[in-house]
């Protein structure tokens, strides 16, 4: 049997080469993970080329206001997307069922309206899926759109939403109906139908009394510019 002896420099070169391969593989895996996180970006505006804009209503309160908003939407023959928290759905299941039965879209707004950027990926996942189970049970459909509370969209939030199978939705236009003191009727209409109104725009509002009172005029102002008001999924 022949025994081969390799020079020390050759052995060292092979070891260095193998270590280089391992290091390159580690970098590739790291960058791959980074790329995946970059891909999980929120949607601020739809890409639909049709003359459509979406009405997005974030719901964690306002059970006394929502019926009025639903009546207006029905009269105007307009559908919208309601992003509902799990805790609201638990308290007012009939109202959530009524929203869905009217042809509106139900999105996920988390369970207890936390600050997502203060939570880990796992904590965000728990909050999202807890709401998901309740909403799916009430409507028979799993939500696929997620509106993070407070509009927070840090890495842990976006990663959790993506891993749970959601598209994260923010907004193009904010009516600022949540501000105190409440914005005027004219301000609400102007912000919803102003210069930023373009095809695919997502218009954020909440179930506030002044919003309900201005809703019909908001819809009319948008329609006067040639746009159809619809659900978020219709403009994606």
């Amino acid at each position: 049997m022949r025994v081969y002896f390799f020079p020390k420099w050759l052995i060292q070169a092979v070891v260095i080469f193998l270590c280089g391969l391992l290091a390159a593989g580690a970098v590739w895996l790291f960058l791959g993970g980074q790329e995946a996180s970059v891909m999980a970006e929120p949607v601020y505006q739809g890409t639909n080329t049709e003359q459509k804009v979406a009405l997005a209503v974030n719901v964690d309160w306002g059970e006394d206001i929502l019926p009025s908003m639903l009546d207006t939407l029905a009269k105007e023959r307009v559908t919208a997307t309601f992003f509902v928290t799990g805790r609201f759905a638990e308290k007012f299941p009939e109202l959530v069922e009524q929203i869905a039965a009217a042809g509106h879209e139900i999105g996920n707004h988390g369970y207890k309206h936390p600050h997502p950027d203060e939570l880990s990926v796992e904590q965000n996942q728990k909050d999202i899926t807890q709401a998901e189970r309740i909403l799916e049970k009430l409507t028979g459909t799993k939500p696929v759109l997620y509106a993070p509370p407070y509009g927070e969209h840090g890495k842990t939030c976006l990663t959790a939403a993506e891993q749970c199978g959601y598209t994260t939705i923010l907004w193009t236009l904010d009516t600022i109906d949540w501000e105190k003191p409440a914005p005027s009727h004219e301000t609400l209409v102007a912000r919803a139908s102003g210069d930023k109104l373009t095809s695919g725009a997502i218009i954020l509002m909440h179930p506030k009394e002044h919003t309900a009172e201005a809703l019909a005029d908001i819809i009319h102002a948008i329609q006067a510019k040639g746009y159809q008001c619809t659900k978020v999924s219709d403009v994606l």
Side-chain angles (χ1 to χ4, degrees):
M1 180 180 66
R2 293 185 179 182
V3 178
Y4 295 91
F5 295 93
F6 296 96
K8 185 177 180 180
W9 66 266
L10 181 58
I11 295 174
Q12 290 176 335
V14 171
V15 170
I16 292 173
F17 175 74
L18 292 175
C19 289
L21 284 178
L22 289 174
V27 170
W28 182 82
L29 288 173
F30 173 77
L31 291 178
Q34 291 293 99
E35 183 180 357
S37 66
V38 169
M39 291 176 62
E41 290 295 326
V43 175
Y44 294 88
Q45 176 151 347
T47 58
N48 199 313
T49 56
E50 298 179 36
Q51 293 288 98
K52 294 181 180 180
V53 299
L55 302 181
V57 186
N58 286 357
V59 180
D60 187 44
W61 29 256
E63 65 280 2
D64 54 332
I65 305 299
L66 281 168
S68 173
M69 296 183 75
L70 292 174
D71 285 345
T72 298
L73 291 170
K75 290 176 182 177
E76 300 296 333
R77 298 182 180 181
V78 166
T79 53
T81 299
F82 290 81
F83 291 97
V84 184
T85 62
R87 64 183 181 185
F88 181 92
E90 281 185 330
K91 291 180 181 178
F92 309 102
E94 296 85 0
L95 189 50
V96 175
E97 291 172 343
Q98 180 184 349
I99 293 171
H104 301 293
E105 184 172 47
I106 301 292
N108 193 327
H109 199 36
Y111 176 75
K112 57 182 180 180
H113 209 276
H115 282 277
D117 286 354
E118 297 177 1
L119 304 180
S120 66
V121 172
E122 292 74 19
Q123 289 171 324
N124 272 304
Q125 287 176 328
K126 181 179 179 181
D127 188 69
I128 292 170
T129 55
Q130 190 173 0
E132 176 186 299
R133 287 191 292 269
I134 298 165
L135 296 173
E136 185 173 8
K137 182 178 179 181
L138 290 174
T139 66
T141 303
K142 175 190 177 299
V144 295
L145 303 179
Y146 169 64
Y150 307 103
E152 293 182 4
H153 53 282
K155 183 177 179 180
T156 59
C157 173
L158 294 178
T159 299
E162 184 180 47
Q163 291 180 354
C164 290
Y166 285 86
T167 299
T168 300
I169 303 296
L170 293 180
W171 58 85
T172 314
L173 302 170
D174 186 356
T175 60
I176 64 167
D177 57 359
W178 44 270
E179 280 192 343
K180 293 182 180 180
S184 68
H185 186 103
E186 292 75 19
T187 297
L188 291 173
V189 175
R191 288 188 66 87
S193 60
D195 294 337
K196 291 184 179 180
L197 186 68
T198 56
S199 181
I202 299 170
I203 302 168
L204 176 66
M205 57 186 68
H206 301 80
K208 305 284 286 187
E209 183 176 1
H210 45 277
T211 306
E213 292 173 353
L215 185 55
D217 286 344
I218 288 174
I219 293 171
H220 296 160
I222 292 171
Q223 292 173 337
K225 289 194 169 185
Y227 295 100
Q228 174 187 347
C229 297
T230 187
K231 301 172 285 189
V232 171
S233 61
D234 289 338
V235 303
L236 297 182

